[in-house]
Amino acid sequence: MTARQPSDTNSAANATGSVPVFRVRGLTKVYRMGEVPVHALRGVDLDVAEREFIVILGPSGSGKSTLLNILGGLDVPTEGRVFYREQELTRASERELTAYRRHAVGFVFQFYNLIPSLTARENVELVTDITERPMDPDDALRLVGLGERLDHFPAQLSGGEQQRVAIARAIAKNPDVLLCDEPTGALDISTGIVVLEALERINREIGTTTMIITHNAAIASMADRVLRLADGRIAEVIVNADRRPARELSW
Amino acid sequence: MRPLTRKLWRDVLAQRGPAAAIALVIGSGIALYVLMVSCFWSLERTRETYYERYRFADVFARLERAPQRLEREIAAIPGVARVRTRVVRDVALDVPDLEEAATARMISIPARRRPMLCDVFLRAGRYVEPGETDEVLVSEEFAAAHGLGPGDTIHAVIGGSRRPLRIVGLALTPEYVYTIRPGDVLPDSRRFAIVFMERRRLAAALSMEGGFNDVVLRLSPTADRKEVIRRLDDLLEPYGGRGAIPRRLQMSHWYLENELDGLRKFGRTIPVVFLVVAAFLLHVVMSRLVSVQREQIAQLKAIGYSNRDLALHYAGWSLVVAALGAAFGLAAGAWFGAKMTSMYAEFFHFPLLEYHLPPRVIVEALAVGAAAALLGGQAAVRRAVRLPPAEAMRPEPPRVYRRSVLERAGLGGWLSPATRITVRSLERTLGRTTITVFGISAGAALLIGGTFTLDGMDAMLDLQFNVAQRYDALVTFYLPASPRAIEEIAGLPGVIRAEGFRTVAARFRHRHRLRHGVLTGLEPGARLRQIVSSRGRRVPLPARGVLMSAKLAEVLGIRPGEALEVEVLEGRRPRLRLPVAGLVDEPLGTEVYISRDELHALLDEPRVLSGAHVLLDAAGAPRFHRRLKNTPMVAGVVLSEAAIRSFEDTLERTVGIVRTFNVMFAVIIAFGVVYNAARISLAERARDLATLRVIGFRRREIAEILLGELAIVTLLAIPFGLAGGWLMAWIVVRAYDTELFRMPLVILPRTYATAVIAVLVAAVLSGAAVRRKLQRLDLIAVLKTRE
């Protein structure tokens, strides 16, 4: 394990030779939890390269989700600047952020967040209906291995299946980036691996830049780069020369 | 404060929107209850006191003329406690500021003031005193209508000569709480006066010295009323008795009773609708509360709180809401009740109409509100109690959905995914959707039921004055006039057409049932007075037999083809059996019509006239009235036009208030229902909506999903509301189906339109309120938590 300075992080990203998808500078976020100010992020610098697969590790309260939410346009920082390619997200209006989420970002959450009143295919259609160059919903579901369960409602699917529908929904818009917050957190090992395989395949085949938050250090070996957050800062960056296939992971 | 109590307050505060909306609905129900019932008690108590203090009589009889000594025989009838004989006569009255003659009912009073039956209350001035001029007391509302007071003089044509009458006092009497001139259908205080004059003077002017033509009785508590009336009729028959009537059928009393009856009936039914809707809303909101607080309930049970504690805690929630509603309802009800009571003073003339809110009504209102609250909350409370702690710790199982009816019917392809969300969730929560639709439609229905009366009234007046009574003036004679009189009237200035008619007082009988009334003889070809059913159909006069009001036929239990017994109470007083040739459902009164020729033949009399219907040209009308004002044979002139105008003025003022209540409460109920429905779906769907926002749906797009649901429910409710409104109108019409009048079931498009608009406004307001909440939807918090 090698600890590096944030400036080295940049060069590491640039070393891959592509244009950064995200450029983050001096990102700070202070929440007020009632009377108490909580420093979720204390000056984070980060570049994310195209097609990169990043795993973010760290204990609860280290600022992982806050970082991801700000990158995804769900939250705004207290200080610092965030660029998505040419666009400065930290200056975007609510309307622009919505458009950004709509066309560029795919989200996957721990608790799937499917619409219970819509079938698997309809949950995906929800997205393909509103984006400019979507995939065919059936293709998206086949990509996550759910070609057979298109017409099932969430209540008729297992947890892993629901999470794969959520992934299909996230990728069906052909997003530029895929942001996953604890995608396997509510799943058992074997199901979790199926879900990770889906993410891996999408990153490999479509080239979607992917960032995954997890508590599970075992997942780290499938990433191009691992960021370890502690106390609102990037405490450590690990670059894997070889990514392990998800199939071989165990925990 | 105990922690659970504190939690209760905070829960209510956290849900203040829905809590306030439900409290408003409960409050509206309570307000209507308090309003109507307190109005009822105010009128009732005032009436009782007035009747008692001013000795309202129990039996009333009119006759042609009897000698004074008969009074002692009447007093001797067993059961009679007190007797007052009087001289009463309607005469033409000349007031300076009225073009046409008004009618005065002259009533004799003793020379010295002493307690008597149907006593007078002196509002201003003094009692009459002997002297050179004729002193009179005049009914207060007539004096007020003309700006007259003690010291002013009016002129009356009494017994053929014009006499000045000096007003010395303004009076009221329990006999004329509601005053309506004979022959009129609407009250008109400008044209009908009650005038009290010293007996000997009045008798002298009318050549009634030593006699009387009117008698009123007070009965002892144990008296057999029917028997007294029978014996009184027997005694009066040789003197032209017109048939005695019990208090129940006395005109003023009857109208008052009718109104009280309406208040009593509606005061106990309409609020129920509100309370039922409120109970449903409470049920929905509390069920949601209990399911959200599932884990808290489990925790509390695990800590050791008993089921009873929890039951009280959750029942407390609905009771707090009910208490808020009751506070609002009592205040609003008392305020509107006082307003409405003072409005009644326009129609009913009491010395003092004081608003009275009996403590009983307050207690009842509170009890009813609490009952609605407990009823609405009981299912949720039971669920909270029944939850086993271990099970409750686990989250609720996921909601199960399926394709909606529309999609199963093959229409799915038409629906976007967003629309499917709406349609499926409406269908999944069918019970709640039904309650919402019911609640909104109840709002619309109440609005229609509460405001259509104006349409019915308009239709009734239109029918009465533009189709049935097309004359401008109704001239009545003191005594039957010779046929030549019609030519004289026709020859008066301004008269376009005059048609004579003949009426006689009569008693109608079928088997044991009996009613007093008037047998009206009309020309079959009469154009100024036609017989018209409440649906506007003209009914021709039969060649033989009588055409009678359907309501009277119902009261007497008689059918067409059967024979009606008619006891004529004038002249030779023949007893006739006349076939009922047909029925007509007129909106007003209980008339019996016959062809004039047949009536003359039956009475064995020449073609004499009781009066004439006259059509005037506008330019000549003033001269016509001036001439008639001083014509001794004319007892009175009734103007249709004027009657409508004065009544409509009063209606405008009074119905306006009632309309305001109705619209207000109906909007509250619609708002309360839509708002709650919206809040609940927002709460249940917050997660879905947040997900959609994260995916990239715009605020407007998710608002459309949520508000689309409201729109569907509102639009669905409108047809039910309109149908319900018709039903309520029908109930109101049935409730007011009396011998005095029957309101036609007419609902104009504008009434339906008002109801629809009010519901839409309520829906838009609640939509806007919920939309504001939607703007503040916290995407991250919603997504990070497990449902």
Side-chain angles (χ1 to χ4, degrees), chain B residues 476-486 488-489 501-502 596 600 606-611 633:
Chain B
T476 48
F477 307 134
Y478 285 113
L479 295 168
S482 86
R484 277 206 318 276
I486 197 74
E488 284 172 32
I489 288 181
F501 63 85
R502 174 75 169 121
R596 226 182 109 191
H600 290 311
R607 295 179 54 81
V608 293
L609 297 171
S610 303
M633 70 172 187

Side-chain angles (χ1 to χ4, degrees), chain B residues 31-240:
Chain B
L32 277 172
Y33 178 77
V34 170
L35 159 68
M36 289 198 255
V37 175
S38 67
C39 253
F40 169 81
W41 282 112
S42 302
L43 281 175
E44 171 75 10
R45 197 171 82 144
T46 304
R47 182 183 72 163
E48 281 314 304
T49 318
Y50 192 30
Y51 279 6
E52 197 45 51
R53 292 228 185 111
Y54 289 84
R55 289 165 288 273
F56 189 49
D58 295 315
V59 174
F60 303 78
R62 303 196 72 174
L63 54 145
E64 264 155 43
R65 181 202 173 117
Q68 194 53 47
R69 61 177 164 72
L70 200 65
E71 182 174 326
R72 247 179 305 156
E73 286 177 54
I74 295 169
I77 297 172
V80 172
R82 292 182 77 159
V83 183
R84 177 182 167 205
T85 60
R86 310 186 291 191
V87 175
V88 177
R89 177 66 57 87
D90 289 353
V91 304
L93 196 63
D94 181 3
V95 268
D97 63 338
L98 203 61
E99 197 169 74
E100 68 275 12
T103 302
R105 172 153 298 172
M106 304 295 300
I107 300 177
S108 69
I109 47 175
R112 283 268 195 79
R113 187 161 197 191
R114 57 181 157 85
M116 59 182 172
L117 289 185
C118 298
D119 215 331
V120 293
F121 165 82
L122 259 185
R123 171 77 75 200
R126 59 166 172 83
Y127 199 72
V128 295
E129 277 171 12
E132 285 290 295
T133 52
D134 292 328
E135 292 191 344
V136 292
L137 309 176
V138 173
S139 50
E140 184 188 22
E141 72 272 15
F142 178 81
H146 293 281
L148 295 169
D152 292 327
T153 300
I154 49 178
H155 290 84
V157 180
I158 307 177
S161 61
R162 187 178 145 92
R163 296 172 77 118
L165 303 175
R166 203 179 133 76
I167 300 172
V168 296
L170 304 184
L172 293 153
T173 169
E175 206 180 348
Y176 295 97
V177 170
Y178 187 84
T179 49
I180 190 156
R181 176 159 59 172
D184 266 6
V185 292
L186 306 169
D188 182 357
S189 52
R190 265 178 78 70
R191 289 172 187 79
F192 186 49
I194 312 295
V195 177
F196 302 92
M197 187 168 165
E198 195 272 310
R199 171 136 177 198
R200 265 189 323 217
R201 279 175 185 270
L202 184 60
L206 294 168
S207 315
M208 289 280 288
E209 293 103 328
F212 65 92
N213 68 354
D214 184 287
V215 59
V216 291
L217 308 180
R218 190 78 187 283
L219 304 184
S220 62
T222 55
D224 175 352
R225 203 186 56 226
K226 279 197 171 149
E227 179 60 16
V228 171
I229 288 177
R230 201 186 57 76
R231 295 186 62 166
L232 180 64
D233 279 343
D234 285 351
L235 272 180
L236 296 180
E237 175 153 358
Y239 304 101

Side-chain angles (χ1 to χ4, degrees), chain B residues 605-635:
Chain B
E605 65 178 15
R607 295 179 54 81
V608 293
L609 297 171
S610 303
H613 300 124
V614 182
L615 189 68
L616 300 172
D617 75 76
R623 276 189 300 152
F624 170 80
H625 289 304
R626 265 200 301 282
R627 280 285 293 278
L628 225 56
K629 247 183 181 176
N630 298 311
T631 307
M633 70 172 187
V634 172

Side-chain angles (χ1 to χ4, degrees), chain A residues 4-204:
Chain A
R4 303 183 188 182
Q5 291 306 303
S7 53
D8 299 333
T9 316
N10 292 334
S11 51
N14 289 332
T16 62
S18 28
V19 186
V21 177
F22 288 117
R23 267 188 302 135
V24 177
R25 292 294 175 270
L27 197 62
T28 301
K29 177 74 183 181
V30 183
Y31 289 107
R32 295 206 74 85
M33 290 286 282
E35 311 288 304
V36 192
V38 175
H39 292 264
L41 294 174
R42 304 169 187 264
V44 169
D45 295 326
L46 174 68
D47 281 11
V48 177
E50 217 166 312
R51 307 178 76 97
E52 212 178 350
F53 195 114
I54 295 179
V55 166
I56 304 172
L57 292 174
S60 299
S62 59
K64 310 185 295 287
S65 293
T66 307
L67 176 61
L68 206 68
N69 287 336
I70 292 173
L71 290 180
L74 286 177
D75 204 350
V76 287
T78 316
E79 261 176 66
R81 303 175 80 184
V82 177
F83 292 88
Y84 162 70
R85 300 190 183 276
E86 300 307 312
Q87 188 185 6
E88 182 171 358
L89 295 182
T90 32
R91 287 194 171 190
S93 67
E94 167 61 37
R95 182 180 291 271
E96 287 162 342
L97 285 179
T98 302
Y100 162 65
R101 288 200 303 270
R102 188 170 185 144
H103 300 297
V105 188
F107 280 104
V108 178
F109 292 96
Q110 180 179 4
F111 304 111
Y112 336 127
N113 292 312
L114 298 180
I115 307 291
S117 56
L118 296 180
T119 61
R121 181 195 278 132
E122 287 163 348
N123 261 289
V124 178
E125 278 172 355
L126 209 49
V127 167
T128 57
D129 256 25
I130 60 164
T131 43
E132 281 155 359
R133 35 179 192 87
M135 278 186 213
D136 180 71
D138 293 10
D139 289 345
L141 283 162
R142 269 194 288 274
L143 209 58
V144 296
L146 281 177
E148 309 300 307
R149 319 216 66 177
L150 300 173
D151 291 324
H152 286 62
F153 282 94
Q156 297 165 322
L157 297 170
S158 72
E161 285 170 331
Q162 289 186 54
Q163 189 60 299
R164 281 184 284 154
V165 174
I167 293 170
R169 187 176 65 185
I171 58 162
K173 65 170 74 161
N174 271 319
D176 202 15
V177 291
L178 194 55
L179 305 176
C180 311
D181 193 345
E182 300 264 12
T184 58
L187 302 174
D188 60 52
I189 298 180
S190 54
T191 320
I193 285 176
V194 174
V195 166
L196 290 173
E197 277 182 319
L199 290 172
E200 183 181 57
R201 186 171 166 199
I202 289 152
N203 176 251
R204 195 177 59 233

